[in-house]
Amino acid sequence: MARQLYELCGTDAERIFSPYCWRSRMALAHKGLDFESVPWRFTETDRLAFAQHEKVPVLVDGARVVADSWAIAQYLDQAYPDRPSLLHGQPAGYRFLAAWNDSVLLAGIGRMIVSDIPALLGPKERAYFVESREKRYGMTLEQVTADREARLPAFRAALQPMRLMLREQPFFGGQAPDYADHIVFGSFMWARSCSPLRLLELDDVVHAWRERLLDLHGGMARRAPCFGA
Amino acid sequence: MARQLYELCGTDAERIFSPYCWRSRMALAHKGLDFESVPWRFTETDRLAFAQHEKVPVLVDGARVVADSWAIAQYLDQAYPDRPSLLHGQPAGYRFLAAWNDSVLLAGIGRMIVSDIPALLGPKERAYFVESREKRYGMTLEQVTADREARLPAFRAALQPMRLMLREQPFFGGQAPDYADHIVFGSFMWARSCSPLRLLELDDVVHAWRERLLDLHGGMARRAPCFGA
């Protein structure tokens, strides 16, 4: 059975935009493992019943089914120990980075790009997405992102820990990327896949880091559909 | 030769207040290594000439001299591999946490407590400290901290990544503390040693985490002179 990764997309099956799916995409590439992308749309929960899970990514690796990007990363290191490690040391050591990413990057990016996402979706998923997100934010998606240009300086300032780290080493993982890089890169790929908003200034060392990630694995991420930002 | 740790204090040799010295104190206790604290004051750079370094902490371990808290942590793991590890996996994996700590915690705490520090110092060090810090901030120290109560909500909000992590595990290190805990704890000990300002609300999970650290090693840090905050 071929290795399959169920991934979130909209009407364009090539435009994978979930930050969690990008973590798993990068993780598979990091391990040098080929996979077939299986397009999955919001509301298609029935199609994930086999995994006893309601969200992507879901990895099917032969007879093994693994749901959740964090579980996938740990599974890949356990199942393929002879290939480059994703997690160095104990997984607990990555929890703070993941929490920083989720509370600072994902939350911050969401408030700047969420109104760009409905245009990527078919009618049924669009209705689900708009309703669920407007409920979450308590306002229309256009209202959420109305001041996004004004939010950019604070968002960029919040990346300062990355800049300090990048003075010492080119990747979260040190001299080479590891799963911490893929976690954070996934957030930037979410923005890049969904929105024309330019999150990073060209002279920012975080931009240079993102360029290095875009170049990995023969430019896998760089070739993905995006808005050029 | 006894193991010695040169540490920053003011007129009270028991009140060690440098966050970097606290990292090394906690690191030595983590390894179960006794040490003699050697009081060191700002401006006593001559006394560190033997270490070819101008700042504390400096560790003297038999014939070996190690300056800089980061180097000390790595040295301790290398020199005492049979004792509990400070760093799991590669040191590079701790760089982001350290950068977050320095840019969010140290910078944020400094702006709220710096005016409390001169009172701890003798006349010569006080003059040095006030002049150098007023130059750094571009204003008097009282001006720096004048709005500290107003800064507290944003500071507490910036701890959100810690709260998300603490939902999953009791320490940065997982089920037990590691050097990441000591880095962040050192920042809180700086505040606790210098200032009566209450940084954390009592029902904050970050407060509960700090309590766990205060209890380590028979309450070593809890017994240190503080202002009770």
Side-chain angles (χ1 to χ4, degrees), chain A residues 18-129:
Chain A
S18 153
Y20 303 99
C21 293
W22 269 103
R23 296 181 191 185
S24 296
R25 294 203 126 193
M26 295 298 286
L28 283 158
H30 182 114
K31 303 292 281 189
L33 297 170
D34 289 332
F35 64 96
E36 175 197 342
S37 177
V38 182
W40 180 89
R41 275 95 183 176
F42 288 124
T43 76
E44 297 182 330
T45 48
D46 289 353
R47 288 182 57 219
L48 299 179
F50 73 95
Q52 299 180 295
H53 205 70
E54 295 194 333
K55 290 177 180 172
V56 288
V58 170
L59 176 68
V60 180
D61 192 17
R64 183 69 184 266
V65 174
V66 188
D68 181 84
S69 58
W70 187 246
I72 289 170
Q74 293 179 83
Y75 162 75
L76 291 175
D77 270 353
Q78 286 155 11
Y80 302 96
D82 296 337
R83 289 166 180 261
S85 293
L86 288 160
L87 299 160
H88 299 97
Q90 47 187 5
Y94 291 77
R95 285 282 188 196
F96 176 77
L97 181 278
W100 178 79
N101 177 77
D102 293 358
S103 58
V104 175
L105 288 201
L106 288 185
I109 291 171
R111 287 200 157 266
M112 295 189 288
I113 72 161
V114 68
S115 64
D116 292 319
I117 296 177
L120 307 177
L121 308 176
K124 186 179 172 194
E125 300 85 50
R126 189 185 305 149
Y128 156 79
F129 184 84

Side-chain angles (χ1 to χ4, degrees), chain A residues 88-90 92 95-97 99-100 103 161-162 164-165 168-169 172-174, chain B residues 88-90 92 95-97 99-100 103 161-162 164-165 168-169 172-174:
Chain A
H88 299 97
Q90 47 187 5
R95 285 282 188 196
F96 176 77
L97 181 278
W100 178 79
S103 58
M162 277 189 76
L164 288 189
M165 181 201 72
E168 306 288 334
Q169 55 196 42
F172 284 87
Chain B
H88 299 98
Q90 48 187 4
R95 285 282 188 195
F96 176 77
L97 181 279
W100 177 78
S103 57
M162 278 189 76
L164 289 188
M165 180 200 72
E168 307 288 333
Q169 56 196 42
F172 284 87

Side-chain angles (χ1 to χ4, degrees), chain B residues 110-126:
Chain B
R111 286 199 158 266
M112 295 189 289
I113 71 162
V114 69
S115 64
D116 293 319
I117 296 177
L120 307 178
L121 307 176
K124 186 179 172 193
E125 299 84 49
R126 188 184 306 148

Side-chain angles (χ1 to χ4, degrees), chain B residues 61-128:
Chain B
D61 191 16
R64 183 70 184 267
V65 174
V66 188
D68 181 84
S69 58
W70 186 246
I72 289 171
Q74 294 179 83
Y75 162 76
L76 291 175
D77 271 354
Q78 286 156 11
Y80 301 96
D82 296 337
R83 290 166 178 261
S85 293
L86 288 159
L87 300 160
H88 299 98
Q90 48 187 4
Y94 291 77
R95 285 282 188 195
F96 176 77
L97 181 279
W100 177 78
N101 176 77
D102 293 357
S103 57
V104 175
L105 288 201
L106 288 186
I109 291 172
R111 286 199 158 266
M112 295 189 289
I113 71 162
V114 69
S115 64
D116 293 319
I117 296 177
L120 307 178
L121 307 176
K124 186 179 172 193
E125 299 84 49
R126 188 184 306 148
Y128 157 78

Side-chain angles (χ1 to χ4, degrees), chain B:
Chain B
M1 192 190 292
R3 195 176 293 112
Q4 296 181 313
L5 185 66
Y6 284 73
E7 303 184 282
L8 180 67
C9 62
T11 52
D12 177 1
E14 299 293 317
R15 190 182 296 266
I16 300 302
F17 61 82
S18 153
Y20 303 99
C21 292
W22 270 103
R23 296 180 190 185
S24 296
R25 294 204 127 194
M26 295 298 286
L28 283 159
H30 183 114
K31 302 293 281 188
L33 297 170
D34 289 331
F35 65 95
E36 175 198 342
S37 177
V38 181
W40 181 89
R41 277 94 183 177
F42 288 124
T43 76
E44 296 183 330
T45 47
D46 289 353
R47 288 182 57 219
L48 300 179
F50 72 95
Q52 298 180 295
H53 205 70
E54 296 195 334
K55 290 178 181 172
V56 288
V58 170
L59 175 69
V60 180
D61 191 16
R64 183 70 184 267
V65 174
V66 188
D68 181 84
S69 58
W70 186 246
I72 289 171
Q74 294 179 83
Y75 162 76
L76 291 175
D77 271 354
Q78 286 156 11
Y80 301 96
D82 296 337
R83 290 166 178 261
S85 293
L86 288 159
L87 300 160
H88 299 98
Q90 48 187 4
Y94 291 77
R95 285 282 188 195
F96 176 77
L97 181 279
W100 177 78
N101 176 77
D102 293 357
S103 57
V104 175
L105 288 201
L106 288 186
I109 291 172
R111 286 199 158 266
M112 295 189 289
I113 71 162
V114 69
S115 64
D116 293 319
I117 296 177
L120 307 178
L121 307 176
K124 186 179 172 193
E125 299 84 49
R126 188 184 306 148
Y128 157 78
F129 183 85
V130 171
E131 183 183 344
S132 62
R133 269 48 175 188
E134 290 191 345
K135 188 173 175 187
R136 183 185 297 175
Y137 286 110
M139 60 184 85
T140 70
L141 301 188
E142 288 67 29
Q143 288 172 324
V144 173
T145 61
D147 60 350
R148 68 184 186 182
E149 293 290 344
R151 285 178 179 276
L152 265 178
F155 174 79
R156 290 171 177 163
L159 302 176
Q160 189 60 15
M162 278 189 76
R163 294 188 193 99
L164 289 188
M165 180 200 72
L166 291 168
R167 285 184 199 166
E168 307 288 333
Q169 56 196 42
F171 297 103
F172 284 87
Q175 294 305 308
D178 75 356
Y179 194 62
D181 291 275
H182 304 323
I183 289 173
V184 177
F185 183 66
S187 301
F188 283 106
M189 285 306 292
W190 179 37
R192 184 176 165 95
S193 304
C194 295
S195 175
L197 185 68
R198 181 179 287 285
L199 287 182
L200 298 172
E201 293 184 291
L202 296 178
D203 62 354
D204 190 339
V205 293
V206 179
H207 184 275
W209 164 86
R210 199 191 61 166
E211 290 290 301
R212 291 194 287 279
L213 271 288
L214 285 167
D215 286 338
L216 288 179
H217 316 302
M220 180 188 83
R222 196 183 288 285
R223 285 194 306 275
C226 75
F227 290 92

Side-chain angles (χ1 to χ4, degrees), chain A residues 209-222:
Chain A
W209 164 86
R210 198 190 63 166
E211 290 290 302
R212 291 195 287 278
L213 272 288
L214 286 167
D215 286 337
L216 288 179
H217 316 302
M220 181 189 82
R222 195 182 288 286

